[in-house]
Amino acid sequence: MKKLGIAMIFALTLAAALAAQTAPVDSKGAMALQFTMDGLGTFGIGGTPVDLPNGAYTGTNWAATGYGLGAKYFVIDKLSVGAGLYFSSDSVTLSGSANVRKTGYFGLRPFATYTLAKKGPVALTAGGYLSMGFYNEDDPANTTKLAYSVFGGGATFGAECFVMNGVSLGADYRFGANFYKMAETNTVTNAVTTNSYSRIGTGSASVFLSFYL
């Protein structure tokens, strides 16, 4: 019922935007802050997605999605450039031990978008992006240090609907490639184990909310 109610609110908001005929913003000098939404079911606001290693290596399942704040700026009419930034750190004292496990993430995603067409409050866009993410973990209890990294890039295609002046809802679909690398160091023997793999394909659509300044 909750998901149905949220979906109805989303649909009514889009309908109101279409009725209001709010014009898309894509003129030189315009700037926006962006946040992603964690699926239409929960509408939990996160941030601009960055592909990150997740520190839980199982076969080829290294990919995780980090969230942070994103921003974009129109350098000329229809063409914007921007970046998403994500970082996090954590320290956990293991139960029954004085050992403290420390973890940290950092991610950066520069991108560019171009307005292909506009109709009423809706703009169709295309663009490209690069992404880089890093994960580090120091686990004294297991005498290991982990260092994971990912570099990637690709193309995007999406749509943005302006629900009111200066506020829009949009979605992007991505096609690109990621290249992952892992290094695990035994802090007793200093032995280092490395592994890597790559992934090429389409990415699921991300829904985002933008506030134009």
Side-chain angles (χ1 to χ4, degrees):
M1 180 64 76
K2 181 180 178 181
K3 290 184 178 182
L4 177 61
I6 292 173
M8 291 179 64
I9 293 172
F10 181 68
L12 290 173
T13 301
L14 291 181
L18 292 171
Q21 291 292 294
T22 305
V25 177
D26 63 355
S27 58
K28 179 181 178 180
M31 182 177 180
L33 297 178
Q34 289 188 310
F35 304 86
T36 61
M37 296 182 176
D38 190 20
L40 297 180
T42 62
F43 257 45
I45 295 180
T48 300
V50 178
D51 289 320
L52 293 169
N54 64 8
Y57 171 68
T58 55
T60 59
N61 184 28
W62 294 4
T65 301
Y67 295 93
L69 179 67
K72 67 177 183 179
Y73 178 80
F74 282 86
V75 292
I76 60 174
D77 290 350
K78 298 185 178 182
L79 177 64
S80 69
V81 295
L85 178 66
Y86 173 84
F87 60 91
S88 175
S89 63
D90 194 16
S91 297
V92 178
T93 301
L94 305 180
S95 178
S97 171
N99 292 319
V100 178
R101 182 172 60 198
K102 298 179 180 180
T103 62
Y105 285 106
F106 175 78
L108 180 64
R109 181 179 181 268
F111 63 87
T113 61
Y114 184 80
T115 303
L116 297 175
K118 294 183 287 186
K119 180 68 173 181
V122 178
L124 297 179
T125 63
Y129 70 94
L130 297 174
S131 64
M132 58 194 76
F134 305 92
Y135 173 86
N136 292 282
E137 178 180 309
D138 186 357
D139 190 350
N142 291 322
T143 63
T144 58
K145 288 185 178 181
L146 303 177
Y148 293 5
S149 64
V150 56
F151 294 89
T156 62
F157 180 77
E160 190 174 4
C161 180
F162 283 75
V163 296
M164 63 181 68
N165 288 330
V167 180
S168 71
L169 290 171
D172 276 339
Y173 194 78
R174 299 188 295 274
F175 178 84
N178 286 332
F179 303 91
Y180 300 86
K181 184 176 181 179
M182 179 272 284
E184 179 176 346
T185 303
N186 185 305
T187 57
V188 177
T189 65
N190 289 323
V192 179
T193 302
T194 62
N195 205 342
S196 62
Y197 89 102
S198 61
R199 177 179 294 159
I200 300 174
T202 57
S204 59
S206 61
V207 179
F208 56 88
L209 174 68
S210 298
F211 294 94
Y212 286 79
L213 307 178

